[in-house]
Every structure is written in structure tokens, then in C-alpha cells.
Amino acid sequence: MIWTILYILGAYLVGAVPFGYLAGKCNGIDLREHGSCNIGATNAWRVLGKQWGLPVFIMDFLKGFLPVLGAMTWMPDWCGVEGWMADLGVVLTCFAVVLGHTYTCFLGFKGGKGVATTAGVLFALNWVVACWALGAWLVLMLATGIVSLGSIIAAVAMIVSGWFNYELFAADGSVCSQVLYIGFFSLIGLLVIVKHRSNIVRLIQGTEPSFYSKKSK
């Protein structure tokens, strides 16, 4: 059990590494004071350009993907857990890495919006759910050029797809451990939406920037 706890804490610390913030500092800029004042890949792309924004996205994606893939691969054997406990360990790792990004201990527990890191988690966890979320994001992004709108709809698609692709009950009628994954998709999807509340206000006001316009914030 102690190894499971240590792994989850380690996943949080990996998720907490603020790659966007570090990229800004490499350019003498604090991303928290420029653009949308967010340390995520989208703001890094807008403020620093794609030569920095793309690597930030990749690193944010990998810090979600690798810890979860490791948990799914090693936790049952290395940590000595199975069944409900193994699934719980994986789900807590998923939560830890996303919360590490959105509430990083290295920046006063204020971080990014969790989209790239959540994407990494999803592709490690379930490629079907990940593809539904990615498909929703791509459709909205191509149609509007508004990253935040695509991210919000992708979060909704993730929740819906999670409910369709995982079982609530086992064949004998008992609650299935897969309910833990449904809970993860639902809560993290809601977290992503809540973290975009300022974007939702701008969307309603019609002032949210688009990559198709020259104007961006």
C-alpha cells in the first residue's frame, strides 16, 4: 500500500511541473502576466509562438500519459494490489496528475486548465474515450478556431463517452469497479469546464479570441 501512495504522490509532482511557466521564463516572460494569464500550452503558443507552444503541449501531454500508463502497467504487480484496489490506484493516479497541473504546488497551487494533461491521461487510459474527446475538440476548433470552446465540448464528450464505454454493474448485479473510471471522467470533465469559466463569460459576450482572427488575448 505504501508504494501505491508514493506512486500517486509522485504522479502529482510530475503533473505539477509547470512547463508553460518554465518556457516563459526561458524567454524572460511570466506567462501569468501575458495573454490569457494562463500557464498552459495554448497561452504559451499565443505569447511565445509555436516553437515554444508545441513543446509545452507535448510535455504537458506526456506528464499525463506516462504516469497513468505506468500505473496501469506496474501497479497490480509492483504495488501488490488487484481488483478494486488496482483500479482505485489507477484512478487516483489520474486525478493526481491532472490536479498537479491545475493546482501546482510550485506556483502557489495555481496552474493551467488541464486540457493537454487530461488528453494524455485519456490516451493512456482508454483510446476510445480519448478519440471521442479529440474528435469533438477538432470539429469545434476547425469550425470556430476557438480553443476554449473546443476544450469545453471535448470535456462534455469525455463524460458522455465514459458513461457509454464503462460498466456500472457486473454480470451478477454488483457494482463494478469500472464505476471508478466513470467517476473520474465526470469529475475531471466538470473541473475542465469550471477552469474555463472566464472563457465561458467571454464566449457569451462574443469576445473570446479565435486563431482565425489576428486579434488575440
Side-chain angles (χ1 to χ4, degrees):
M1 181 61 71
I2 186 65
W3 291 111
T4 303
I5 295 171
L6 289 175
Y7 189 93
I8 293 168
L9 290 175
Y12 170 83
L13 292 175
V14 170
V17 178
F19 289 110
Y21 174 81
L22 295 174
K25 283 299 182 180
C26 288
N27 289 272
I29 291 174
D30 188 339
L31 280 184
R32 297 173 298 178
E33 299 173 356
H34 296 269
S36 63
C37 301
N38 187 267
I39 63 166
T42 300
N43 197 40
W45 191 299
R46 286 198 187 108
V47 176
L48 305 174
K50 65 181 180 181
Q51 69 271 22
W52 287 95
L54 182 58
V56 168
F57 173 83
I58 292 171
M59 296 306 294
D60 282 350
F61 178 93
L62 288 176
K63 74 183 185 183
F65 181 84
L66 294 176
V68 175
L69 182 64
M72 296 175 67
T73 304
W74 303 318
M75 197 167 281
D77 298 324
W78 182 52
C79 296
V81 292
E82 57 184 12
W84 272 84
M85 288 304 297
D87 285 332
L88 179 60
V90 171
V91 168
L92 289 178
T93 299
C94 295
F95 274 116
V97 74
V98 174
L99 292 177
H101 178 77
T102 54
Y103 300 101
T104 171
C105 59
F106 300 121
L107 296 174
F109 295 97
K110 293 180 181 179
K113 295 179 180 177
V115 176
T117 302
T118 299
V121 169
L122 289 184
F123 273 98
L125 200 60
N126 188 312
W127 67 270
V128 175
V129 175
C131 286
W132 274 103
L134 176 62
W137 185 87
L138 285 172
V139 168
L140 268 296
M141 182 61 191
L142 291 173
T144 67
I146 301 176
V147 177
S148 60
L149 180 59
S151 299
I152 292 166
I153 299 303
V156 174
M158 176 183 70
I159 296 171
V160 173
S161 181
W163 278 85
F164 272 99
N165 284 280
Y166 285 85
E167 299 292 336
L168 279 172
F169 301 101
D172 60 2
S174 62
V175 177
C176 180
S177 63
Q178 289 189 3
V179 71
L180 296 171
Y181 296 99
I182 295 174
F184 168 76
F185 294 131
S186 300
L187 291 176
I188 291 300
L190 290 174
L191 175 63
V192 170
I193 293 170
V194 168
K195 292 288 284 186
H196 282 83
R197 57 191 180 278
S198 61
N199 304 87
I200 293 172
V201 171
R202 290 195 293 271
L203 284 167
I204 294 172
Q205 295 173 342
T207 59
E208 182 72 348
S210 167
F211 270 106
Y212 293 150
S213 66
K214 294 182 181 179
K215 201 175 172 184
S216 64
K217 309 186 195 184

